[in-house]
Amino acid sequence: MADLSSLLTSSKALTSHLSRPDLPSVNLSLDQIEAQSRRLVSRQPGTTVDNDKANYLLAQAHVDAPALASSIAHLNTSTTFSPLQPLQDTDVVGYLRHAHEQNLISTIEEGRKETQEEFYRVLEERGRRDWEARKKRVFEELGGRLGADNAAVAELKKSYHGKSTLAASTTTPTLSLQMQSKMMAYDRVISELNTSRLRGTSYPIVHSLIDASLSVNGDPRSQQMTQNFHVLSKITSEPPALPPMEHAGAHILNTPLLERKYARVYLGDPESREAATLRRQIAKGAREALEEQYWDIIERTVQSRPVEARLGGDPSIANRIRAFLLVRYYKNGQWEDRIELVAGQPLWAKLFYLIRTGHLQEALSEASQNQQVIDHREASFMTHFRAWIESADRKLPKPHRDRLQSVYNAHMLHTATVDPFKLALYKLMGKIEPSRRSVGIATSTTEDWLWFQLTMVDEDEHGGLRALADVLLGYGERHFDGPPNQKGSRRGVWAGVLLMCGQFERSVAALWEHQDTEVEAVHLAIALAYHGLLRVPTRAETSDLTPLSLSPVSPPSLSLPTLVWRYVRQFVKMDAKEALQYVYCVCLSADQGAGVGKEQVEIAWDLVRRIIVLANAGPAWEELVGGFRPDGTRFSGFIEQGAPLLKLQDVKDFNEHILTRAAKHSQENDRVTEAIKLYNLAGDYATVISCLAQALGNTISQSASEGDKGRVIERTAADILRHYERTNKAAGSDRESVVRLLRIREAMDAKEAGRPEVALDIMESTDLIPLDGDIAKITRRAEEFKDLHEALQRNLHTYLALTMDALAGVHQKVKGSVMGDSTRQMNLVALRKKSRSLIVFAGMLKYRMSPDVYSYLARLDVEIAL
């Protein structure tokens, strides 16, 4: 091992090449180096100067920095949470006051921490939702949510309408096909709804949606969707079926008005008496739906476990409740703890479940049969119970409630062994402690808890349904549906909760946020709009990311057009008629005030125009917009037949707002043929001719092998011209220009078919090029060229070259023919004269064509002259 001396020598050798002989070397020990460093630091004035400057500046602001620094240096934090004055051992009041203050401080700190954690959690959740919304919007802009789903939609739509069979090669997952089957089931409901609207009759849309959801009930989660629709049917009091129709007039007169029934109240002043009545109806309907749902649960439970239920031969409602209680709460020969037996039976539980399932009269009858033993246990119970059952809104007068409150405080509030069902009955009758929302076993499930809240709601006290909604919104979706994407989560429960507390717009938005419930979201929104229970935002308030609009100064609103368009764009190209059925529903909100209704109608018109532009061309497209029969008579399309649903008053409005503007959009999207047909249907014949000339001018130079687009335009132009000539429409120079363009196309076809003489005759018939050798006429025609239609001016080089090619072709045929010399010579002279006329005419318009074209014409002229 090398010693320290050798290490020192080696280290010096490492830097020997860097040494400078003009600088002395420094040889100091470590202690000397440290001492020198300390002396250097002590000589640095920076810290003192900076402190002096800082103290000077603070002193100008009347801040005594040295004194503050001294206080901080002598601060003893160990006494921070100690009383300012020492407490004596016997000072109980002081100790309690100090403990109370410390509890307040710790509570504030814990609240601050919880608020901070909740803030970051909500921020993360909001960021995730915004990101998901942005991704969804990107997918939609690229052509749909999932390409495979769009393929499935196309195949299934075609199969459903008999247009084709489902391709065997479809590779779409089974779930996607199930989704499309569900879409088809709901489509029929919307079609029937609009048919009824056109007839002026009411339609039970919610019950029809219930039937549709039951028909596709392949997923247990869809049962929750069915329940949500059932809740809405109870809220709206919609009849399950319309009365039988003896004749149309009586049917319309006898049918109760359903469309927009609640719109005036729902969209009006929320503080009005009518609005409070509507909220009572919402709570009552939601409560009744939960009662019916629970009765179904009881029936299924008893039927599935008959041995434990011991139902016997008594089919009464009370006996079924008894059987259910045996199954639920009787185990191993004894009842569960805290269930109080009255006359040998769990009477309080029995009464509670009779109330829970909506059987109030049966509950009163059961209580009356046991009145003697009940009076022995709870002296005043029967009086209050009977008054509560017989009240119109399940609300006791204040004297009754005060007595119930006193009994509750004296015998139940602080008793741990009280029967939970008796406790629940007292709380329901007296609406006691509405802020304490749970009662032991009685509110063990989400549905039980919600029913209990809705029964306790009082619009005259404690904020009513709106206060309950605020509480539920504080809980949030995670409390009911579970975290997003969690396996086994109960999708749709949160939407149902919002529905039951009157938060209809939020309910739809909650369903829309999840792809597997988007179908139900759209149809729930339409059903709400039909009954007048959906508020839509103004165009300015509508967001591109989410259909739900929230404002601190106004109630929530939901953009129905946004939902509808994002939904129908998946199948608009394959089945435009079905897409239109949904767009018709946008105008349901046409009666909303402050100009919002008018905006909704205009948005619906815009969506119709989009569908026209996006729909596939063909016979189905003409069925959509209308057309002309072979005899020239016009037939209306599907859109025009539904014009009343779009709030279009007459044909003029339909032509102006739909056909003409859709034609402009089609023209901008390079769908010229469709644009021409739309202008023609709208009666704008001058624009039809202008579009025809423009389109023919764009395609005239294409060869026959370059595609069918030009041929389609030519056939369309020919058909329209025949009709216009027969009816003397759009007569004038523009129509003549279209005729000339079509003749040029015919000449091109003849030349390509090897018939130059025919092509030459056709071109001469157009009278575009003077070929008779008259210089005055050629000059005049060149001067008049600027007055021709722009399409003819733009294609000058095309028909000049075409005519010269025809002349050259005829020239070659004449030269190689077997006709007599004199006849041949005469024909050649005539062709040379025409060729010379053409080249003179081209020379006068030489500035309008490229030099290559003129050189080509001159070369052919020389060949013809030889």
Side-chain angles (χ1 to χ4, degrees):
M1 179 181 293
D3 56 9
L4 294 178
S5 298
S6 61
L7 288 175
L8 176 61
T9 304
S10 300
S11 64
K12 289 181 177 180
L14 290 174
T15 60
S16 60
H17 65 287
L18 300 176
S19 63
R20 296 177 58 183
D22 57 330
L23 294 178
S25 61
V26 179
N27 295 311
L28 297 176
S29 65
L30 292 176
D31 293 337
Q32 290 174 325
I33 292 173
E34 181 182 3
Q36 291 286 357
S37 300
R38 292 184 182 277
R39 281 195 295 272
L40 287 172
V41 170
S42 64
R43 295 173 185 172
Q44 295 297 321
T47 305
T48 305
V49 173
D50 291 343
N51 288 340
D52 291 343
K53 290 181 179 179
N55 293 336
Y56 175 75
L57 293 174
L58 290 172
Q60 286 183 329
H62 306 289
V63 177
D64 190 353
L68 292 175
S70 176
S71 299
I72 293 172
H74 295 86
L75 177 65
N76 182 11
T77 59
S78 62
T79 60
T80 301
F81 297 102
S82 300
L84 297 178
Q85 297 179 352
L87 296 175
Q88 301 297 326
D89 293 341
T90 57
D91 189 359
V92 178
V93 175
Y95 172 78
L96 292 177
R97 183 176 63 253
H98 173 67
H100 177 67
E101 291 173 353
Q102 296 308 307
N103 287 336
L104 288 177
I105 293 173
S106 61
T107 300
I108 293 172
E109 178 62 20
E110 291 175 1
R112 185 192 67 80
K113 289 181 178 179
E114 291 178 359
T115 302
Q116 184 178 10
E117 293 173 357
E118 181 67 13
F119 169 77
Y120 284 114
R121 188 193 67 78
V122 172
L123 181 63
E124 182 181 359
E125 182 70 15
R126 178 63 60 85
R128 182 192 65 79
R129 290 187 178 181
D130 287 349
W131 171 238
E132 293 296 331
R134 289 180 184 274
K135 284 197 300 183
K136 182 186 296 185
R137 180 171 176 79
V138 169
F139 280 129
E140 291 170 356
E141 292 298 330
L142 291 175
R145 291 179 178 83
L146 292 173
D149 287 353
N150 287 341
V153 175
E155 296 297 336
L156 201 63
K157 290 280 184 178
K158 291 178 182 178
S159 175
Y160 176 74
H161 291 284
K163 298 174 183 175
S164 68
T165 57
L166 187 63
S169 60
T170 301
T171 58
T172 308
T174 303
L175 179 61
S176 176
L177 293 175
Q178 291 177 351
M179 180 67 73
Q180 311 320 320
S181 299
K182 179 166 65 173
M183 293 169 65
M184 298 306 303
Y186 286 112
D187 282 351
R188 288 188 285 272
V189 175
I190 303 303
S191 298
E192 293 172 2
L193 167 68
N194 289 324
T195 300
S196 296
R197 292 173 62 199
L198 284 172
R199 292 174 180 167
T201 60
S202 292
Y203 180 72
I205 182 173
V206 183
H207 285 85
S208 299
L209 292 174
I210 292 173
D211 295 339
S213 66
L214 291 173
S215 68
V216 293
N217 194 6
D219 188 342
R221 287 179 296 184
S222 63
Q223 297 176 1
Q224 179 60 46
M225 304 304 157
T226 304
Q227 174 63 15
N228 290 346
F229 287 129
H230 179 61
V231 169
L232 183 58
S233 71
K234 289 295 182 180
I235 289 174
T236 58
S237 300
E238 183 185 275
L242 297 178
M245 179 172 56
E246 297 180 2
H247 57 84
H251 180 56
I252 295 173
L253 292 174
N254 295 331
T255 300
L257 179 63
L258 296 181
E259 183 172 344
R260 307 298 289 174
K261 179 179 180 180
Y262 302 104
R264 183 185 63 81
V265 176
Y266 184 75
L267 301 175
D269 181 9
E271 304 300 329
S272 65
R273 181 180 302 176
E274 293 84 358
T277 302
L278 177 58
R279 289 193 291 271
R280 291 189 184 95
Q281 179 178 332
I282 293 171
K284 178 175 179 291
R287 188 179 68 238
E288 290 177 353
L290 289 171
E291 290 168 356
E292 292 183 6
Q293 180 194 33
Y294 203 81
W295 179 248
D296 291 338
I297 293 174
I298 288 177
E299 291 273 43
R300 291 197 303 269
T301 302
V302 171
Q303 291 174 8
S304 64
R305 300 167 70 176
V307 176
E308 299 174 58
R310 291 180 279 178
L311 184 61
D314 182 5
S316 66
I317 293 172
N319 192 47
R320 291 177 183 274
I321 295 293
R322 179 199 59 78
F324 172 76
L325 293 174
L326 284 172
V327 174
R328 180 63 63 88
Y329 301 112
Y330 190 76
K331 307 293 182 184
N332 301 321
Q334 60 182 0
W335 293 93
E336 289 189 7
D337 293 340
R338 294 178 59 192
I339 292 184
E340 180 182 350
L341 299 181
V342 179
Q345 62 173 329
L347 183 61
W348 305 119
K350 196 173 183 180
L351 293 177
F352 175 82
Y353 278 106
L354 284 169
I355 299 296
R356 173 68 180 84
T357 55
H359 298 101
L360 274 70
Q361 293 304 318
E362 289 79 358
L364 181 59
S365 175
E366 184 72 20
S368 299
Q369 293 175 13
N370 296 274
Q371 181 169 356
Q372 185 175 357
V373 65
I374 290 176
D375 289 342
H376 180 71
R377 299 285 184 98
E378 301 289 339
S380 61
F381 177 83
M382 281 302 300
T383 302
H384 303 311
F385 190 64
R386 180 175 285 104
W388 184 67
I389 292 291
E390 294 175 351
S391 63
D393 53 357
R394 293 194 194 179
K395 183 177 179 179
L396 289 173
K398 193 173 186 307
H400 282 267
R401 295 170 63 185
D402 291 342
R403 285 194 292 271
L404 279 171
Q405 181 76 59
S406 62
V407 173
Y408 177 84
N409 293 339
H411 302 292
M412 300 180 190
L413 181 59
H414 303 293
T415 304
T417 59
V418 67
D419 189 306
F421 297 105
K422 180 168 69 173
L423 184 68
L425 287 172
Y426 269 86
K427 285 176 67 70
L428 290 175
M429 288 189 296
K431 298 188 185 296
I432 299 171
E433 292 183 318
S435 59
R436 298 182 64 179
R437 303 183 180 278
S438 298
V439 182
I441 306 173
T443 57
S444 57
T445 68
T446 299
E447 289 76 14
D448 291 335
W449 185 87
L450 284 170
W451 175 85
F452 196 82
Q453 311 312 311
L454 292 167
T455 308
M456 293 281 286
V457 160
D458 188 347
E459 281 300 316
D460 300 325
E461 299 178 8
H462 308 295
L465 190 64
R466 289 178 291 181
L468 175 60
D470 292 338
V471 172
L472 295 172
L473 289 172
Y475 290 151
E477 180 178 6
R478 296 168 64 92
H479 187 83
F480 295 94
D481 278 359
N485 302 323
Q486 176 181 332
K487 186 177 181 181
S489 60
R490 300 177 60 192
R491 186 73 64 230
V493 174
W494 174 236
V497 170
L498 294 171
L499 196 67
M500 285 185 275
C501 62
Q503 296 292 311
F504 302 127
E505 295 82 8
R506 293 180 190 267
S507 178
V508 175
L511 292 177
W512 182 254
E513 287 182 357
H514 305 284
Q515 188 173 358
D516 52 347
T517 55
E518 287 180 355
V519 177
E520 287 84 0
V522 174
H523 294 87
L524 177 63
I526 292 174
L528 288 166
Y530 180 72
H531 282 282
L533 295 173
L534 190 76
R535 183 179 289 101
V536 294
T538 64
R539 197 190 298 265
E541 294 172 335
T542 303
S543 170
D544 290 336
L545 294 179
T546 174
L548 183 66
S549 297
L550 300 175
S551 170
V553 297
S554 60
S557 55
L558 187 94
S559 176
L560 182 59
T562 300
L563 257 65
V564 164
W565 182 246
R566 292 185 183 179
Y567 181 72
V568 304
R569 66 183 300 167
Q570 301 175 90
F571 54 85
V572 64
K573 291 185 178 180
M574 288 75 67
D575 199 337
K577 285 186 179 180
E578 290 298 334
L580 274 170
Q581 296 284 5
Y582 286 89
V583 173
Y584 289 153
C585 297
V586 172
C587 293
L588 284 168
S589 301
D591 57 352
Q592 188 165 327
V596 179
K598 182 180 179 181
E599 287 183 350
Q600 294 296 298
V601 173
E602 292 174 350
I603 293 172
W605 294 345
D606 181 61
L607 295 181
V608 171
R609 294 191 291 266
R610 287 194 211 176
I611 291 174
I612 292 174
V613 175
L614 292 175
N616 290 330
W621 187 83
E622 291 193 350
E623 292 178 9
L624 194 69
V625 301
F628 290 92
R629 300 182 182 90
D631 60 358
T633 58
R634 185 181 184 277
F635 62 88
S636 61
F638 185 76
I639 300 175
E640 189 173 358
Q641 294 167 12
L645 300 180
L646 295 170
K647 309 302 178 184
L648 295 168
Q649 304 301 323
D650 49 32
V651 175
K652 180 182 177 182
D653 280 352
F654 177 74
N655 291 342
E656 177 184 354
H657 296 297
I658 303 298
L659 294 183
T660 302
R661 295 183 65 180
K664 292 179 181 177
H665 294 333
S666 296
Q667 197 171 357
E668 293 168 358
N669 286 271
D670 197 27
R671 300 189 61 171
V672 181
T673 305
E674 288 81 358
I676 292 169
K677 291 181 179 179
L678 290 170
Y679 281 127
N680 193 30
L681 288 168
D684 192 353
Y685 306 121
T687 306
V688 171
I689 293 299
S690 177
C691 286
L692 283 174
Q694 189 72 23
L696 289 171
N698 292 337
T699 61
I700 203 71
S701 60
Q702 297 176 357
S703 64
S705 59
E706 289 188 36
D708 296 333
K709 183 177 180 181
R711 295 300 182 186
V712 172
I713 293 175
E714 291 164 21
R715 287 194 296 269
T716 302
D719 292 341
I720 290 176
L721 280 178
R722 281 194 296 269
H723 176 64
Y724 284 8
E725 289 172 356
R726 189 166 55 247
T727 57
N728 195 27
K729 293 176 180 175
S733 59
D734 284 349
R735 193 174 82 179
E736 184 61 29
S737 299
V738 174
V739 173
R740 285 176 165 178
L741 288 165
L742 286 175
R743 296 290 286 168
I744 293 172
R745 181 78 250 185
E746 291 178 22
M748 294 178 67
D749 293 341
K751 183 184 79 70
E752 291 182 3
R755 297 185 296 167
E757 66 282 356
V758 177
L760 183 59
D761 290 341
I762 294 174
M763 288 308 302
E764 288 190 87
S765 69
T766 62
D767 201 23
L768 286 169
I769 306 170
L771 299 176
D772 55 2
D774 186 345
I775 297 299
K777 183 176 181 182
I778 294 173
T779 304
R780 186 173 62 254
R781 193 60 53 83
E783 293 173 352
E784 294 172 351
F785 180 80
K786 66 179 182 301
D787 298 327
L788 292 177
H789 194 279
E790 183 270 338
L792 288 171
Q793 295 185 42
R794 178 161 34 93
N795 285 281
L796 172 64
H797 65 284
T798 301
Y799 56 81
L800 281 177
L802 170 63
T803 306
M804 188 60 85
D805 286 340
L807 286 169
V810 174
H811 180 264
Q812 291 296 327
K813 281 191 174 185
V814 171
K815 287 182 67 175
S817 66
V818 296
M819 65 180 65
D821 291 340
S822 59
T823 304
R824 182 188 301 111
Q825 191 62 32
M826 185 177 59
N827 288 338
L828 290 174
V829 170
L831 289 172
R832 292 188 187 104
K833 181 179 179 182
K834 292 179 179 180
S835 174
R836 178 48 46 185
S837 298
L838 187 148
I839 202 68
V840 172
F841 180 73
M844 293 179 180
L845 299 174
K846 187 177 180 179
Y847 64 95
R848 289 184 174 269
M849 66 185 77
S850 67
D852 293 340
V853 174
Y854 188 77
S855 298
Y856 176 75
L857 296 175
R859 181 172 57 82
L860 288 183
D861 178 60
V862 171
E863 292 178 0
I864 294 173
L866 294 177

